Amino acid sequence: MSQLSVNHLLGIKYITEADIQLIFQTADHFKEVINRPIKKVPSLRDITIANLFFENSTRTRLSFELAEKRLSADVINFSASQSSVTKGETLVDTVNNILSMKVDMVVMRHPNPGAGVFLSQHVKAAIVNAGDGAHEHPTQALLDSYSIRERLGDVAGKKVVIVGDILHSRVALSNIFALHKQGAEVMVCGPQTLIPKYIHTLGVKVETNLRKALNWCDVANMLRIQNERLDISYFPSTREYVQQYGLTMELLKSLDKEILIMHPGPINRGVEITSEVADSPQSVILQQVENGVAIRMAVIYLLAEKLQPQA
């Protein structure tokens, strides 16, 4: 297969395992490109991309923007706080006004789950979901799997535990879909109050004891507490959370094997993970950031290919 089966990247649930492998193969090529002295290729000189961020973001927004510029696309950056959205303009009107400027692709982060799907049904442009509420964050899951593949050779057959605030995490949901499609086993670990009731229906194991989860896994993906989404108190105190679910070097060294440590960022050092662990040789956190650019280049390039027949 040389083309994606979809015209948009709205979520991992909508793509196939073949799509994932095609994205990875394309990212392999772009990773080689971004490590050259000249990091830019003219692949998308005729494509204009709008980055619409209705929520705050640092890594994801910069990663997408860098990926687009590495591909020589024209880039428009849109911030909701400085736009007519604050005056009551609808999402569809906002995007259609941007598209009237002959924009081909929209990368969007939005606080409402399903915003990307809604937009794809109402506008004529390729849509990339850069995170929709607590629903999905597909490019993060792709770069996480790509980082596992890079370090461990393959994702199939690996045991991956996702630790932390599963209830409010779009990263967790996208990772569960992506890992299962590639043949990995998945476990979630955290306080019972932060584990969704429906989680068993997704075919994952559930563990509330961090040590047991770490002894089971090959890879631990540590998530931060999504404080901006917490409407009530889900655990007694941060101190108690750190004692039960904070990953320390002492705990890592007490395991009978070496495991891979991941984190989607931003890191709350000293809460879900200590600095010593985050900066250790077992951590691939900075490699995840580097791989994020290559993965996003691959996604944008492959979706732009789908636009060509319509040009």
Side-chain angles (χ1 to χ4, degrees), residues 73-232:
D74 291 321
V75 180
I76 300 171
N77 288 312
F78 170 96
S79 172
S81 62
Q82 299 167 349
S83 74
S84 294
V85 170
T86 60
K87 302 174 185 176
E89 186 173 66
T90 67
L91 175 61
V92 171
D93 281 342
T94 297
V95 175
N96 273 327
N97 274 291
I98 292 168
L99 294 184
S100 68
M101 303 173 201
K102 306 305 177 188
V103 170
D104 305 288
M105 190 179 299
V106 173
V107 174
M108 184 175 74
R109 169 166 290 188
H110 201 279
N112 295 337
V117 175
F118 171 78
L119 197 60
S120 71
Q121 295 166 348
H122 290 84
V123 303
K124 291 182 178 178
I127 309 298
V128 180
N129 179 8
D132 58 335
H135 180 226
E136 277 220 49
H137 192 351
T139 56
Q140 181 67 49
L142 289 168
L143 73 90
D144 288 348
S145 288
Y146 185 78
S147 300
I148 294 171
R149 169 184 176 265
E150 184 177 65
R151 181 64 77 94
L152 301 182
D154 197 0
V155 177
K158 300 299 182 290
K159 295 179 177 179
V160 182
V161 64
I162 305 170
V163 183
D165 185 358
I166 311 300
L167 184 63
H168 302 98
S169 175
R170 54 190 169 215
V171 173
L173 189 59
S174 283
N175 262 286
I176 289 167
F177 290 142
L179 291 165
H180 276 162
K181 286 186 178 186
Q182 295 169 85
E185 292 183 63
V186 186
M187 175 185 284
V188 295
C189 177
Q192 199 69 55
T193 51
L194 288 175
I195 295 176
K197 292 178 182 178
Y198 66 82
I199 200 77
H200 295 90
T201 65
L202 298 179
V204 303
K205 301 176 190 292
V206 177
E207 180 56 70
T208 55
N209 183 293
L210 180 59
R211 179 179 291 276
K212 288 181 181 178
L214 296 176
N215 274 319
W216 173 84
C217 75
D218 301 305
V219 180
N221 198 344
M222 308 300 296
L223 306 180
R224 71 182 176 89
I225 300 298
Q226 305 264 322
N227 289 310
E228 69 276 17
R229 301 188 198 282
L230 302 190
D231 47 357
I232 60 172

Side-chain angles (χ1 to χ4, degrees), residues 250-285:
E250 182 184 13
L251 179 53
L252 265 189
K253 286 181 176 177
S254 72
L255 304 177
D256 57 5
K257 60 181 177 179
E258 192 170 284
I259 62 173
L260 201 64
I261 307 301
M262 309 180 76
H263 196 303
I267 301 172
N268 288 322
R269 289 174 182 258
V271 182
E272 71 274 5
I273 190 169
T274 64
S275 289
E276 194 180 8
V277 174
D279 302 330
S280 72
Q282 286 175 249
S283 164
V284 291
I285 295 171

